[in-house]
């Protein structure tokens, strides 16, 4: 079968599975009376990053962890430079203080830590454990924030993007998870076949085609939340997804199978990902202005052009 059909089927499953899983997961969080921003940074972010996790685990088990690394780093660039860029271009986005104080620094830490660990040309199993330790520390801080804000839960979030009836929540979670697992397998099969057919390195395929396919849930969730005025949900989902991708997913992939690093490609992805977060960071006040959205979209376009051009030259 043509690899494109695998990728298309995987993207469709990722979009449908991500939407169902998000609705179910947010419904569960609403039962727990957790504030919208915390829901977005954890439950929503983890749910929308499930395709990346599925792809990474399948790729690592198949002995091609470069796809996992490319997908995680490419998804992070796409999350901030493209998806957040699109959301901010709609209108300025307000960033709560806890997001600036806790999530932005950790999101910046992830590419910096990965760059240091990649200096020896390999992400070893020990490196994977280090990344996972950072993730657990951030998750602990977030859980503590969730306990503090438990009594400030917002019913509007659940009604906007979450299921409310118990049977609907369970069904959404189960069907969504099944579709996400299927999406991961289909995308890995299609991406590897595409890389072999066009003689493109697996990392490049993971950072572009696979990243776009697995980031469909983030795109839908972020844009819909922004259109409904849920700025904290939009930003929390993006930053939480980046932290999940950069620390947990890469950490899991490296723990399963050590990753040989093609430094030219990885350095470019880490640099652009770090730069995109700096552009989005609200240095003064709490607003992320529309001009930042335009700059983020230009940054993503430039990244894709440089990546494709360098592949052709190489």
């Amino acid at each position: 079968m043509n690899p494109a059909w695998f990728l298309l089927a995987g993207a469709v499953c990722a979009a449908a599975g991500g939407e169902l899983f998000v609705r179910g997961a947010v419904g569960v969080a609403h039962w727990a009376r957790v504030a919208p921003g915390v829901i977005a940074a954890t439950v929503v972010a983890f749910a929308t990053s499930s395709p990346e996790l599925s792809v990474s685990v399948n790729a690592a088990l198949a002995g091609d962890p470069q796809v996992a690394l490319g997908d995680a780093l490419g998804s992070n660039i796409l999350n901030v430079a493209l998806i957040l860029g699109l959301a901010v271009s709609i209108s300025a986005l307000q960033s709560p203080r806890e997001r600036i104080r806790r999530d932005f620094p950790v999101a910046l830490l992830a590419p910096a830590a990965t760059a240091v660990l990649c200096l020896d040309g390999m992400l070893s199993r020990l490196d994977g454990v280090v990344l996972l330790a950072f993730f657990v520390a951030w998750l602990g801080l977030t859980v503590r924030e969730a306990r503090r804000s438990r009594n400030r839960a917002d019913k509007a979030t659940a009604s906007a993007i979450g299921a409310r009836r118990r049977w609907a929540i369970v069904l959404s979670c189960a069907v969504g998870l099944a579709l996400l697992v299927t999406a991961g397998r289909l995308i890995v099969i299609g991406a590897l076949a595409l890389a072999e057919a066009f003689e493109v390195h697996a990392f490049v395929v993971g950072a572009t085609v696979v990243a776009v396919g697995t980031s469909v849930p983030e795109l839908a969730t972020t844009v819909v939340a922004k259109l409904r005025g849920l700025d904290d949900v939009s930003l929390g989902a993006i930053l939480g997804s980046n932290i999940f991708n950069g620390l947990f997913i890469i950490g899991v992939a490296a723990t399963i199978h050590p990753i040989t690093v093609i430094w030219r490609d990885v350095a470019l992805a880490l640099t652009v990902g770090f730069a995109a977060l700096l552009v989005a960071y609200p240095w003064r006040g709490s607003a992320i202005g529309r001009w930042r959205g335009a700059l983020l979209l230009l940054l993503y376009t430039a990244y894709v052009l440089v990546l494709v051009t360098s592949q052709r030259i190489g």
Side-chain angles (χ1 to χ4, degrees):
M1 182 182 289
N2 191 318
W5 288 111
F6 281 101
L7 293 174
L8 179 60
V12 171
C13 288
E19 172 68 16
L20 288 172
F21 195 42
V22 164
R23 288 180 177 274
V26 173
V28 172
H30 178 59
W31 283 352
R33 292 178 295 143
V34 180
V38 178
I39 293 173
T42 53
V43 180
V44 173
F46 298 172
T48 56
S49 291
S50 296
E52 285 90 342
L53 178 60
S54 181
V55 165
S56 297
V57 170
N58 279 279
L61 291 174
D64 289 289
Q66 288 82 6
V67 171
L69 181 61
D71 181 32
L73 296 182
S75 293
N76 279 359
I77 294 172
L78 193 142
N79 283 345
V80 179
L82 181 60
I83 297 176
L84 184 60
L86 287 172
V88 175
S89 296
I90 296 172
S91 65
L93 189 149
Q94 296 296 323
S95 177
R97 290 181 57 188
E98 61 268 20
R99 200 71 58 230
I100 301 174
R101 183 181 67 250
R102 185 192 65 229
D103 295 342
F104 259 114
V106 178
L108 287 165
L109 169 67
T114 303
V116 172
L117 296 174
C118 285
L119 289 176
D120 61 355
M122 175 74 69
L123 276 174
S124 65
R125 288 188 170 90
L126 178 59
D127 295 335
V129 171
V130 171
L131 293 175
L132 290 175
F134 282 130
F135 175 78
V136 170
W138 169 80
L139 187 60
L141 292 174
T142 305
V143 169
R144 186 175 65 178
E145 174 66 22
R147 289 177 177 174
R148 290 178 178 176
S149 64
R150 182 168 179 149
N151 294 324
R152 293 182 282 119
D154 186 358
K155 295 182 180 179
T157 301
S159 63
I161 59 175
R164 286 179 289 177
R165 297 183 178 180
R166 295 188 179 184
W167 66 265
I169 290 174
V170 173
L171 184 62
S172 292
C173 287
V175 176
L177 184 59
L179 286 172
L180 290 172
V181 171
T182 302
R185 293 182 178 178
L186 290 172
I187 290 173
V188 168
I189 293 172
L192 294 179
L194 195 65
E196 183 178 353
F198 289 92
E199 297 182 351
V200 178
H201 192 271
F203 177 90
V204 178
V205 176
T208 53
V209 178
V210 179
V212 170
T214 56
S215 294
V216 170
E218 283 95 333
L219 175 61
T221 302
T222 301
V223 173
V224 169
K226 177 58 183 171
L227 290 173
R228 294 179 179 177
L230 301 171
D231 284 11
D232 195 17
V233 173
S234 291
L235 187 59
I238 289 295
L239 293 179
S241 179
N242 266 41
I243 294 169
F244 191 73
N245 291 340
L247 297 178
F248 184 78
I249 290 180
I250 295 178
V252 168
T255 303
I256 294 174
H257 192 295
I259 306 173
T260 302
V261 174
I262 307 299
W263 184 244
R264 180 186 65 180
D265 295 334
V266 172
L268 175 64
L270 289 171
T271 301
V272 174
F274 193 83
L277 287 166
L278 290 179
V279 171
Y281 192 92
W283 296 99
R284 296 180 180 180
S286 60
I288 304 176
R290 295 181 66 183
W291 67 270
R292 294 176 187 261
L295 190 56
L296 287 170
L297 293 176
L298 287 174
L299 181 62
Y300 183 74
T301 302
Y303 165 70
V304 173
L305 290 175
V306 170
L307 189 64
V308 173
T309 302
S310 64
Q311 175 66 28
R312 289 179 178 176
I313 294 175

